[in-house]
Amino acid sequence: MSVVTDPYKPGTPCWIDLMASDQQAALDFYRDLFGWQGEVGPPEFGGYAVCALNGKPVAGIMAQMAPEGQPLPPVGWTTYLASDDADAAARSVTESGGTILYPVMDVGTVGRMLVAADPTGAVFGVWQKVDFIGAGIVNEPGALVWNELNTTDTDAAGAFYDRALGLRPATVQGLEGYYSLNVGDRTVGGMQLVPDYLASGTNPHWMTYFAVDDTDSTVDALVRAGGSVIQPPFDMQAGRLAVVQDPQGAVFAVIASPASP
């Protein structure tokens, strides 16, 4: 089990959360699909639910909400990148050509956060830990395993994340047009042009990947629960992958790593 106890290095994806139109329905769906445990949180935190797997936090689920007079944000998953200083990160995002959507705010005693968009329009969060480092288990079935930026301009996006958050792109041998995103000498994510299997006109975004034991059976269970399939299971370099949509429209990927010889 890949339990995380040390703080994430700045720039590393450290947390994910889902904005849902029906929070309880989303909690039920992901409980059945991945075995998560979670319940609607206290009102002072907007009911935010922290979901756990084997007793460790893996993801957040919240109801759609927006400041007064603003439209509701879309249903979907958000990737948060770690930072030691959210205020400095906000300044760096702005100076590097990004847009702050939700300014730096304190989240009780657990941390500080902001939400921004990169110059190509992909939305992401920044998380500065106080009492909460982020995901406590990763790279295990039912948990986060990969974060991938799908963009319309890899050069512009790569330059932005490198300058703003220290997330350095590098080409990947044997995968033309695909880039690793690196913190120091460690690969922490990927980047590519928005793939053809997504709907025409899909906006740049960060895709969340969850590890599963069996991609095909997971997709079958998702469909039975009211989800839909965008890219049916297929074999690729990293394993057997599918891109799917939950019943409320949030898109994510599931992947089973190749069996060990």
Side-chain angles (χ1 to χ4, degrees):
M1 185 182 297
S2 299
V3 174
V4 181
T5 55
D6 295 328
Y8 290 86
K9 291 185 177 180
T12 305
C14 64
W15 187 241
I16 49 169
D17 63 24
L18 173 67
M19 189 83 73
S21 54
D22 184 330
Q23 185 186 22
Q24 187 59 57
L27 286 166
D28 294 344
F29 172 81
Y30 288 96
R31 176 198 63 209
D32 294 344
L33 192 69
F34 293 141
W36 294 355
Q37 298 299 315
E39 57 186 33
V40 177
E44 59 265 33
F45 292 107
Y48 192 96
V50 175
C51 298
L53 180 69
N54 299 324
K56 303 291 184 182
V58 287
I61 295 179
M62 66 181 130
Q64 282 174 303
M65 59 183 71
E68 189 174 349
Q70 298 295 313
L72 286 175
V75 167
W77 283 98
T78 299
T79 291
Y80 290 78
L81 307 175
S83 173
D84 288 337
D85 186 334
D87 295 289
R91 290 191 296 271
S92 186
V93 164
T94 301
E95 291 166 0
S96 302
T99 304
I100 303 297
L101 303 178
Y102 293 91
V104 177
M105 66 187 85
D106 293 308
V107 184
T109 62
V110 296
R112 309 187 75 224
M113 62 164 286
L114 65 92
V115 178
D118 71 25
T120 75
V123 174
F124 65 95
V126 171
W127 180 255
Q128 176 191 339
K129 77 155 191 83
V130 179
D131 295 337
F132 183 74
I133 64 170
I137 180 171
V138 295
N139 305 333
E140 293 289 335
L144 177 68
V145 69
W146 191 244
N147 301 81
E148 182 176 81
L149 175 63
N150 292 322
T151 182
T152 51
D153 188 332
T154 51
D155 289 341
F160 166 79
Y161 287 99
D162 190 8
R163 180 181 174 194
L165 296 160
L167 200 51
R168 178 180 52 81
T171 56
V172 178
Q173 188 173 359
L175 287 177
E176 186 176 353
Y178 198 88
Y179 299 83
S180 61
L181 294 173
N182 307 279
V183 171
D185 59 359
R186 183 165 179 257
T187 295
V188 298
M191 178 177 66
Q192 64 180 352
L193 294 176
V194 177
D196 292 340
Y197 55 72
L198 294 176
S200 176
T202 296
N203 292 326
H205 60 278
W206 281 84
M207 179 80 77
T208 299
Y209 284 64
F210 295 104
V212 294
D213 284 318
D214 185 316
T215 302
D216 296 77
S217 64
T218 300
V219 169
D220 289 345
L222 173 136
V223 171
R224 288 195 301 271
S228 55
V229 180
I230 294 172
Q231 175 64 35
F234 67 100
D235 294 312
M236 42 85 76
Q237 190 176 52
R240 189 157 175 80
L241 170 69
V243 179
V244 295
Q245 208 167 17
D246 73 18
Q248 299 180 48
V251 176
F252 60 97
V254 292
I255 186 167
S257 297
S260 300

